Amino acid sequence: MMTQTSEALAPAIDRTAARTFDPLSKVGDEQAFRQEIRDWLAAVLPADWRKQWQQTRESDLRGVMTWWLEERRKVGLATPHWPKAWGGPGISFAYQIMVYEELSRADAPELDIFTISLFHTPATLFEHGTQDQIDRYLGGITQGTDIWCQGFSEPGAGSDLASLRTAAIRDGDDYIVNGQKIWSSSSMHADYCLLLARTDPNGKRKHDGISYFIMDMKSPGITVRPIRQITGESEFAEVFMDDVRIPAKNLIGAEGNGWNIAQSTLSTERGLLIFGSTERLARSFALDRVDAKDSWMRDVGLRREYAGFYAELQAIRLMVRRLLAELEANPEKASPTLPTFIKLNWGPFLQSYSEFLVRAEGLEAQKWQPSIPGTGHSSRLRFNDFLKSYGWTVAGGSNEIMRNIISERILAMPRG
Amino acid sequence: MSDEFDLDVLAESFSEFLEGEWPKEKAIAYERSDQSYDADLWSAMAGLGWTALTAPEAEGGLGLGTAAAAHLHAALGAAVTPTPMLGTLLATTLLGATGAEGARGLLAGIIDGSLRVAVAEPNAVPVQTDGKTISGTARDLLDAPGANLLLVRIALAGQPGWVAIDADAPGVSIHRYTLADTTRSLGDVTLDNVQIGEGRLIRPTAGAALDDLLTRQACVAIAADSLGGGEAVLKITIEYMKVREQFGRLIGSFQALKHRVADHHAALVGARELVLNAATIPDDDDGALLAALSTKAHVAAVTADIARDCIQLHGGVGFTSEFSPHLYLKRAKLNEALYGTRTAILDRVADMLEAA
Ligand SMILES: Cc1cc2nc3c(=O)[nH]c(=O)nc-3n(C[C@H](O)[C@H](O)[C@H](O)COP(=O)(O)OP(=O)(O)OC[C@H]3O[C@@H](n4cnc5c(N)ncnc54)[C@H](O)[C@@H]3O)c2cc1C
């Protein structure tokens, strides 16, 4: 699917001279595999994509991101982390890691608005979905036609997600849903929503009676109101549901089992998703000192502060690599606690390092620029990156909730 | 006049007026407005005599000192106002100190608020001039985009000074930078063969002393602005923590959160002492500059970190532009960068401590 925008964004390369690329055919030869990805990236990725995407307004965002997903799909790398059974390439972790390393190395765009589609949806469907659901929905993701969002949080249920109140009441072959979701990233672009709703208000514990649905965002009764963030963009939205009908066949797993399924959705946030971000940050971390070689790297205090961040970042990268190695060896035996430790290191690190850069660069860092889609937490626009760091300290379980989990569940400290 | 009494009453009147005239909803809405200052708020302030605060009584001002200015700036910081009052304070000092008639004559416009002044920092790279015309660029001049008078740092025959230039004079162009903190902006002022008006050249006899005085006043005002901002954002956050419930409890009851708030509060109590002290040291006291610089570096950093944490304490709503904590964070971060970054200021403080 090429929109006009994406057409305009395609690099001006000589198509007759362009060869086709097939990195997957090189699996088995690491050097050749990496080289093929490098050659492919050099051929398809415009050197100034950041500048072009920065000028992309919110309405065109889908176009440019879809273009990039399509380029990746052409060489079999739309979903490098998916197994064959999901329609992915089924390459080993070692090769998945190489893909992400090469994408980061070349500063290739991240597919922000496809995050839920590429990570959360397949993880959820493959573990808990029916074959029908898998067949029906995964194609739209690999083809880049469908965007998914996650409808978990509510105004009254953030950290305390289990207290959510959106109600789904069975009515014949449907459920009728009423309620409100909030902070749902990319929901204004979304075709489908992973929705948590309460099917039984009389459960013994508040975790009981929650069910997990696939909600078609085009259903009558849905209103989406974008929320403006402190960064100036609107990447998330409120979703209001007024008598929305969801067919019962869109229930994922058993009725009332939504809470457990949600845990597997959330745990995916902490594996490869973090890996991509940390590698990208490692790249910009290295660039930061080069760019500052005649400015703050000459200041002894700032230089030392920068050097101090090095080991912090390395610690996180090493933890992520350990997690990936464990997952590869045996997903059943991978450490259940490591993802929590990674998140609690990563969020605060990201915030303090990005804050450091704002401070080190003085007035220059105060000058405002529109953010650059596809650059994640490494846009290198200092103030934007600093503000966006709350995405990791608040979203998906805040720092404080991570600390509660570690102290109470992992370290078995008495509950406060 | 009993200064003590007057100042407390004055401080209260500043806050009271701003609570009515510039409530949070206005501050939040202003953030998207893409203006360089708020004209209505500015004229209301001028009408109340706030722009006349430190101007000499003989010129029609109120003749109050740096302490009064500190109270004003604390109130402005608390209300996150988009008003170029720092320029007013510094221009009043600068023009009041000169014998140049043309420049002195501008005081009336500053006092009545019709002039909004952008004043270059004393350590800005000077623009060279022969005293008759001036060409060059003054970079990153605070509040220049909304100003109608520019006080540009110059060098004339190797001597530092200032020149007062009308923003609409032929040959003047201003490139505006929007900042993360939209209550203020920066401008690169390009001067292309601009004529220097009669008596518009300010060539201080005691150059360094005037520079120090301006730096001192700016640092006190910025520290006060940060203090007001820090106190206000913490208050808002505490109020929120007393109404927001999760897990069937007010989030303010979680020790992990309330201890942080307690730390912030204690830090601000100390910060307030520093600002009051720095603001009340007489201008000619040797310790005035040291107190101002060290206070500015400390209080700006304290508030920047408190504002950062206040967003975290709010959770998701803190990440939306519909709540106010981010306004304070952005203003606090700009305050940290103005009049020398922390690094530059602390180097100077260290030198002063060693020399003392
Ligand atoms: C950028 C971003 C993207 C997001 N994307 C999505 C999305 O796509 N889908 C979705 O469903 N949600 C999304 N969220 C929502 C996110 O998961 C919630 O914001 C988060 O769970 C916190 O909930 P809350 O905002 O209600 O804050 P609250 O839970 O009200 O928290 C307020 C403060 O209280 C603290 N607190 C709460 N409970 C405790 C406790 N027991 N002990 C100590 N401290 C506590 C919190 O840590 C926080 O500091 C997103 C949020 C952000 C910021």
Side-chain angles (χ1 to χ4, degrees), chain B residues 46 101 124 135 152 171 212:
Chain B
E101 278 311 311
S135 292
V152 174
D212 284 354

Side-chain angles (χ1 to χ4, degrees), chain B residues 29-104:
Chain B
Y30 180 86
E31 197 244 343
R32 318 176 178 200
S33 71
D34 204 35
Q35 297 168 58
S36 298
Y37 73 105
D38 188 89
D40 291 342
L41 184 60
W42 182 251
S43 39
M45 288 179 179
L48 292 170
W50 295 7
T51 47
L53 204 65
T54 59
E57 283 172 287
E59 309 273 352
L62 298 173
L64 294 171
T66 307
H71 285 292
L72 175 57
H73 283 270
L76 300 177
V80 279
T81 66
T83 44
M85 196 62 86
L86 183 62
T88 297
L89 172 68
L90 300 177
T92 301
T93 300
L94 191 52
L95 298 177
T98 179
E101 278 311 311
R104 230 187 142 78

Side-chain angles (χ1 to χ4, degrees), chain A residues 116 149-161 181-186 229 235-236 388 390-401 404, chain B residues 240 244-247 251 254-257 260 311-317 319:
Chain A
I116 305 289
C149 66
Q150 179 184 327
F152 285 13
S153 305
E154 297 181 4
S159 297
D160 183 12
L161 182 61
K181 294 292 169 181
I182 196 168
W183 321 130
S184 182
S185 300
S186 299
Q229 300 165 181
E235 287 162 321
F236 54 30
K388 272 190 103 169
Y390 289 101
W392 278 103
T393 62
V394 171
S398 66
N399 289 347
E400 291 76 17
I401 295 305
N404 285 344
Chain B
Y240 183 72
R244 172 69 175 170
E245 278 185 34
Q246 286 291 274
F247 303 99
I251 60 168
F254 294 122
Q255 204 162 62
L257 304 191
R260 267 152 55 196
I311 291 181
Q312 181 71 21
L313 290 165
H314 271 79
V317 292
F319 196 65

